[in-house]
Amino acid sequence: MGRGHDGSERRGRMGYAEQRTELIASGLRGPKLRGALAEAADTWLAELLANALDAAGLPAAEGELGHARGVALVAVGGYGRAELSPGSDLDVLLLHDGSHKSDRIAKLADAIWYPVWDSKVKLDHSVRTIAEARSMAKDDLPVALGLLTARHVVGDPALTASLRTSALSDWRAGAAKRLPEVQATRAERLEMHGELAYRLEGDLKEAIGGLRDGYALTAISASWLADIPHGEPEAARVRLLDVRDALHITTGRAADRLLLQEQDEVAAQLGLTGGADDLLAEVADAARTIAYACDVAWRRIEQVLTQRKWSGRRRGAAAQRTPLADGVVAAEGEATLALAADPARDPVLLLRAAAAAASAGLPLAPAALRRLGEDGAPVPTPWPRAAREEFVRLLGAGPGLIPVWEALDRTSLLSRLLPEWERTRSLPQRNALHIHTVDRHSVQTAVQAAKRTRRVARPDLLLVAAVCHDLGKGLHDESGEPLDHSEAGAQIVAGLAPRLGFNAADSAVLAALVRHHLLLAQLAVNRDPDDPATLNALLAAAEVPGGSVDAAEFVALLHALTEADSEATGPAVWSRWREALLSGLADRARARLAGHAPVTAPAFDGSALAARAAASPDRLAVLALAPSAAGVARLDVALPDQIGVLATVAGVLSLRHVRILAAEVETIESVEPAGATGSTVATGSTVATESTGPIGDASPWAVQRWTVAAEYGELPDVARLRTDLRAALGGRLDLAARVASREAEHRPVGRARLAQPPSVAVIEDASAVATVVEIRAGDTPGLLHRVASAIAASGADIATARIATLGAEAIDVFYLTGPDGARLPTDDAEHVADQIRSALGA
C-alpha cells in the first residue's frame, strides 16, 4: 500500500495530514486525487494498527503490515468508496470477532484513535463486532447505508468480507422497510435544502440532486428490487465530487455549500473559463441528471412494493392500462405507449404522449421515452396543426408540465422539438430575485400562465410566449457585452413561431409579447401611474403592426404574461401590492382603448393636512390609515417646507422599520386662516393630536403621501413617529448617524464584492412634466434617506417617488422639477445624477 506513485516511499513515513497537503499541492485533481487520499489514509492506518497491536499486547500475523486475526480496520461511507475529498472525515470501523478480551480491544482502539486525533485529522470512529454492527444498522439508517460501501483497509480480510456479506444480506432482506425510510429523508432534504439545480448557493451534498441522492442510487441498486439508471448519473456524481474537492481547496475546510463569494475561485480551480456562471451551469446539469435518475428509480421501487403488497389479492391479474390519448395509456402510475402505437409512423405521438401525461399528472415512462427517442418520426416543418395543439395542451397542463418537460429535456427529446432550448438549459441567473435557472423559470412561467388562460382570448399565444419569453438570455454581442434579452428573444421567437406552425399575424404577436414582457412591470412599479407618458408608453407597445389581436387583447395578454413571469420569479418579486399595481395600469389602458376616461385615484390634495399642521404647536401633522388587505398602508405627513424634509421623513421611517413603496409630494404655498378646529378622525385612521385655534400662515408647507408596509410585524404607532420627527427636525436626533449605523448592522457579510455598483440614470421621455431619474442599487435601510438628501443638496424638488424593492435590489425612480416647477435643464439633471452617484459611492 502507498507505493503506487512517485514519492510514495517517503509518504509512507508521513502522517496522513502531511500526505494530504503534499498530494493537494502536487496538482492531482478529480478521481485521482480522491483515490490517492484514500490510499494515503489506508497506508497510515495500516501503520497505526501495526503499532497499536504491540501497544495492546495482541499478536500480529505474519506477512502483511498490521495483519491480525480477528481484528480489522474497515473504511465506511465516503472513505469506503475511496472518495475522500480534501476536507473529508475518515470514517473508520474497528471490527473484531469477539475473541479478544475487551480491555485489549479498548487499548487497541485508543492506540489507533489518539494518533489520529493528535494529527488534527477529523475522525468518525466506532468499535464493533459483526453482530453489533448488524444490530446497530437495523436501528440506525446512516449506519446501514455506510456499511453498504464498507471496504477492507487492513487486518483480517475474512472478517471484513463476512461483514460485507452480512450487511448486504440484511439490507436486501429489509429493503421493503428501509428504502421507504431513505425516501422519507429525501422529502425532508427537499424541504430543508431545496433542489441543487436551482439554488444560487446550493448544498452539494444535501440538496436534491446532490451527492446524497447519488448515494441513494447505490442503496437502491444494492436492494436488488429495481435496476437504476447507469452511466450519466455516475458521471454527474463524479462531477459534483470534483466541485466539492475544489470548494475544500478554495476554503481550506470541509464545506458542502457553494457560497457566492467562493464560486469564481472554485470555477478557476476546475479550469472553467466562464467563471461562476459556467460552474453553476455544470452543477445544475449534474444535479438535474442525478435528480431525474432518482425520480425514475424511486418510481420503480414504489411499483415493486405496490405489486408485492397486492400480489396476493390479485394473483395472475394483468396490469390495468387506461387510455389517455390515441396511442397513450396509463399503467402502473406512469403514462406509456399503447401496444399498437407506432412512433415511426406518427410524428405527433411524442407531443401527444407528453401532453396526455402532463394533463393526467403522470410521469412519462422511461420505456416510452426510449421508444420515442429511438423510433420516433420527426415533426414536419412547419408543425401541423395537430402538433401545435398538443404542444399548447402540454404547456397548459399546469404543474403536471414540470416533470414531463424535465423528462423530455433529460432524454434529449426536447432539443429535437426546440433546438433553441439547448442554449438555455441550466443557464444560471446570478440574481437573488430568481429561484430557478433560466430554463426552469420559463417552464414555471408557463405553469403560472396556465392559471390565467381564461382571462385572454388567445390562451395559445399566452402559453407559448410564457415558455419562450427568456430565450434571449445569455446572449452577447461581438464585443462580449450582454444583449437586451427581450429584444434578442423577440428575434428568436420571430423565427421560431412560424416553424411551430403559427401564421405571420400570430408570430408578430408572440414576438411583441417577448419584446415587451418587462414593460408593464417597469411602468406600473417604477413610473408615476398618473403621468400621461406612463400610459402612453404601454398603449404604444400594444399596437402590433400586422398582429392577430387588437390593442386591448394585447394588453390582456401582456398583463397575464407579466403576472405569470413575476410569480414564477419568486416571492421577492410577486406580492399583492405588485399585483395591484399591474392591474391598475392594465385597467387604465383598457379603459382608454374602450373610449372611457381611465379610472384614477382621487387627486392628492394636501391642503387640509397642511391646515392641521399649521394649527399644531409643533407645526406637524401625521395621519396613518390602517393597512389594506394587501398589507399596504398610507401615511400622510405635513410639515413646513424646507430643503431635505423628504429625506428626514424617509430616515425616520427607516429607523422604525417601515418599508417605503411610493411617495408623493405636494407643496402648499400658504394656509388660509380658519376658525377653531379639532382633529376629526375617520374610521380606520389615526391622526396625531393637534391643538385648536385660528390658523393663518403664509409659509409654504410640504405635504407628503407615503405608501408603506411594515418590514415585519405591525407598523409603528403614529405617536412614536411624530416624536421621532420632532426630534429629527429639531436637531435632537442625529438622523444621518443613526441611519448609517442601521445600514452597517444590515450590511451583508462576505458578499459585498459580488454586489453590482449602484447605477443612476436620467430617463429621457419618461415624463413630459418632470425629469425622471432612476436609481438601481443594493437595498439598504437608509438608501432613500441618502438619495433624497443628495437631491435636496442639489436644489431640485421631488414631485413624486416610486420606490420598488425586489429582493436585495432597490429600483427607485424620482420625478424632479426645478424651482419653477418645470423639468430640469439637461445640465442640471446630470448635476443631480452626479450628486446622487457621489452619495452612493458609485
Side-chain angles (χ1 to χ4, degrees):
M1 293 185 186
R3 306 294 187 265
H5 49 272
D6 293 343
S8 57
E9 290 288 351
R10 185 169 58 84
R11 290 194 193 102
R13 298 188 296 272
M14 298 166 61
Y16 172 67
E18 293 83 1
Q19 293 181 65
R20 178 174 58 191
T21 299
E22 186 174 283
L23 286 168
I24 293 171
S26 74
L28 277 179
R29 293 295 182 266
K32 290 183 179 179
L33 173 61
R34 293 189 289 276
L37 289 172
E39 184 181 355
D42 290 352
T43 301
W44 186 49
L45 288 173
E47 294 172 349
L48 291 179
L49 179 60
N51 295 333
L53 289 172
D54 291 338
L58 293 175
E62 294 294 329
E64 184 180 358
L65 180 68
H67 193 134
R69 293 186 183 89
V71 175
L73 286 180
V74 181
V76 295
Y79 181 28
R81 291 185 294 271
E83 292 178 345
L84 284 180
S85 288
S88 294
D89 297 359
L90 296 182
D91 199 345
V92 185
L93 165 64
L94 174 57
L95 190 66
H96 64 100
D97 62 4
S99 63
H100 302 289
K101 293 182 179 180
S102 58
D103 62 332
R104 295 284 181 90
I105 294 297
K107 287 183 179 179
L108 180 66
D110 287 346
I112 298 170
W113 308 148
Y114 274 100
V116 177
W117 292 327
D118 290 344
S119 70
K120 308 301 182 184
V121 172
K122 289 178 287 187
L123 177 70
D124 190 351
H125 62 92
S126 57
V127 181
R128 296 185 182 110
T129 63
I130 291 177
E132 289 169 343
R134 293 176 68 185
S135 176
M136 180 66 70
K138 288 180 181 179
D139 299 325
D140 191 319
L141 181 62
V143 170
L145 293 171
L147 291 178
L148 294 179
T149 55
R151 179 176 60 84
H152 181 69
V153 174
V154 66
D156 190 339
L159 194 59
T160 304
S162 179
L163 173 66
R164 282 183 50 82
T165 300
S166 299
L168 288 169
S169 177
D170 290 343
W171 182 256
R172 288 162 189 152
K177 172 178 176 292
R178 305 313 297 271
L179 286 177
E181 294 176 8
V182 178
Q183 194 172 19
T185 65
R186 189 175 194 241
E188 294 171 0
R189 288 190 291 109
L190 175 61
E191 180 70 22
M192 182 171 295
H193 299 284
E195 297 174 85
L196 176 58
Y198 311 121
R199 291 288 184 179
L200 197 59
E201 295 184 321
D203 190 303
L204 296 169
K205 186 175 183 179
E206 299 295 344
I208 296 302
L211 294 170
R212 190 77 75 185
D213 267 355
Y215 305 148
L217 289 171
T218 302
I220 294 172
S221 180
S223 72
W224 288 1
L225 288 181
D227 194 14
I228 63 170
H230 294 284
E232 289 186 355
E234 282 96 340
R237 185 170 64 84
V238 169
R239 192 52 173 158
L240 291 185
L241 285 168
D242 292 346
V243 175
R244 186 171 70 168
D245 290 355
L247 180 60
H248 286 190
I249 293 170
T250 295
T251 61
R253 57 182 172 80
D256 292 313
R257 191 175 175 203
L258 195 57
L259 297 178
L260 280 170
Q261 64 263 28
E262 291 150 4
Q263 290 172 7
D264 283 321
E265 192 170 344
V266 171
Q269 284 278 349
L270 295 168
L272 299 174
T273 57
D277 283 353
D278 280 2
L279 173 66
L280 291 180
E282 287 210 7
V283 168
D285 196 62
R288 290 171 66 179
T289 298
I290 293 172
Y292 178 66
C294 277
D295 289 343
V296 172
W298 284 118
R299 284 206 307 275
R300 290 287 168 266
I301 292 297
E302 290 170 358
Q303 289 168 354
V304 169
L305 296 182
T306 300
Q307 289 170 357
R308 284 188 173 187
K309 180 179 179 180
W310 294 101
S311 60
R313 304 186 185 185
R314 55 175 190 179
R315 192 179 305 277
Q320 185 177 2
R321 298 169 73 84
T322 304
L324 294 177
D326 183 17
V328 188
V329 298
E332 297 185 316
E334 295 176 327
T336 191
L337 300 185
L339 298 177
D342 187 356
R345 294 178 177 272
D346 188 351
V348 183
L349 181 58
L350 169 57
L351 286 164
R352 192 163 60 249
S359 299
L362 296 174
L364 271 170
L369 291 165
R370 281 194 298 272
R371 279 191 66 193
L372 290 165
E374 294 169 0
D375 305 328
V379 182
T381 301
W383 286 11
R385 178 175 179 177
R388 188 172 68 255
E389 288 178 347
E390 292 298 344
F391 183 57
V392 170
R393 191 157 73 95
L394 168 64
L395 297 178
L401 167 66
I402 295 173
V404 172
W405 193 276
E406 184 71 2
L408 295 176
D409 199 9
R410 291 293 97 191
T411 53
S412 300
L413 289 169
L414 185 58
S415 59
R416 292 190 194 178
L417 297 169
L418 297 173
E420 295 84 355
W421 193 262
E422 189 76 18
R423 192 187 51 76
T424 66
R425 178 183 292 119
S426 300
L427 186 64
Q429 305 194 93
R430 281 165 63 83
N431 181 330
L433 302 180
H434 280 274
I435 60 175
H436 294 126
T437 51
V438 172
D439 53 346
R440 175 59 186 278
H441 165 72
S442 299
V443 177
Q444 198 71 37
T445 301
V447 171
Q448 297 298 339
K451 300 190 302 187
R452 296 166 166 88
T453 52
R454 294 189 178 181
R455 287 170 31 183
V456 298
R458 291 293 303 273
D460 56 335
L461 299 181
L462 170 62
L463 292 167
V464 173
V467 83
C468 295
H469 76 284
D470 274 348
L471 285 179
K473 280 195 172 177
L475 291 173
H476 297 77
D477 62 19
E478 294 178 355
S479 66
E481 290 297 315
L483 293 173
D484 179 342
H485 82 275
S486 299
E487 187 60 42
Q491 295 178 21
I492 292 172
V493 170
L496 169 63
R499 198 177 79 242
L500 299 183
F502 287 101
N503 61 32
D506 286 344
S507 298
V509 174
L510 286 169
L513 285 170
V514 172
R515 178 176 290 109
H516 298 302
H517 74 269
L518 298 176
L519 179 64
L520 179 60
Q522 290 171 343
L523 295 174
V525 178
N526 302 125
R527 298 291 183 267
D528 182 358
D530 295 324
D531 192 310
T534 301
L535 187 54
N536 290 341
L538 177 58
L539 294 176
E543 297 290 345
V544 182
S548 57
V549 301
D550 62 20
E553 181 53 31
F554 185 87
V555 170
L557 285 167
L558 189 61
H559 183 196
L561 175 60
T562 305
E563 286 190 349
D565 186 18
S566 298
E567 191 166 3
T569 297
V573 171
W574 187 241
S575 65
R576 288 177 294 178
W577 166 245
R578 188 181 181 89
E579 182 180 15
L581 293 177
L582 296 176
S583 296
L585 183 56
D587 288 346
R588 287 195 290 277
R590 282 189 285 265
R592 170 78 69 83
L593 291 167
H596 306 307
V599 177
T600 60
F604 178 26
D605 182 3
S607 299
L609 197 64
R612 292 179 185 273
S616 172
D618 54 14
R619 298 164 66 81
L620 179 65
V622 183
L623 169 68
L625 295 183
S628 67
V632 175
R634 198 183 81 205
L635 181 70
D636 291 350
V637 179
L639 68 171
D641 191 22
Q642 57 185 341
I643 293 176
V645 289
L646 187 128
T648 299
V649 178
V652 167
L653 294 178
S654 170
L655 292 181
R656 290 300 167 190
H657 303 282
V658 175
R659 181 168 160 242
I660 300 167
L661 302 172
E664 298 175 72
V665 179
E666 180 183 11
T667 300
I668 307 297
E669 291 300 332
S670 62
V671 175
E672 294 297 326
T677 58
S679 64
T680 304
V681 181
T683 303
S685 67
T686 303
V687 180
T689 304
E690 294 108 7
S691 67
T692 60
I695 304 171
D697 198 317
S699 302
W701 293 85
V703 183
Q704 304 166 1
R705 173 158 292 177
W706 301 84
T707 303
V708 298
E711 284 185 5
Y712 48 81
E714 297 181 353
L715 288 166
D717 181 69
V718 168
R720 171 69 68 177
L721 289 176
R722 185 187 178 93
T723 299
D724 289 345
L725 280 171
R726 279 202 307 265
L729 293 168
R732 298 185 302 279
L733 173 62
D734 189 346
L735 197 55
R738 288 282 301 276
V739 170
S741 175
R742 182 163 185 247
E743 284 193 302
E745 292 172 1
H746 288 74
R747 187 170 293 121
V749 177
R751 298 195 187 183
R753 67 184 182 88
L754 293 172
Q756 294 294 317
S759 68
V760 182
V762 179
I763 310 298
E764 300 293 342
D765 302 324
S767 172
V769 297
T771 296
V772 178
V773 178
E774 180 183 82
I775 296 99
R776 292 175 178 259
D779 187 38
T780 61
L783 177 66
L784 182 56
H785 173 73
R786 281 191 287 152
V787 172
S789 296
I791 293 172
S794 73
D797 290 328
I798 300 173
T800 301
R802 303 288 292 177
I803 313 302
T805 304
L806 302 179
E809 183 79 357
I811 305 175
D812 297 347
V813 177
F814 295 86
Y815 285 68
L816 306 179
T817 59
D820 58 356
R823 285 168 54 95
L824 299 175
T826 301
D827 290 346
D828 290 354
E830 286 301 328
H831 172 68
V832 174
D834 286 340
Q835 290 281 95
I836 298 172
R837 293 186 188 103
S838 177
L840 298 179

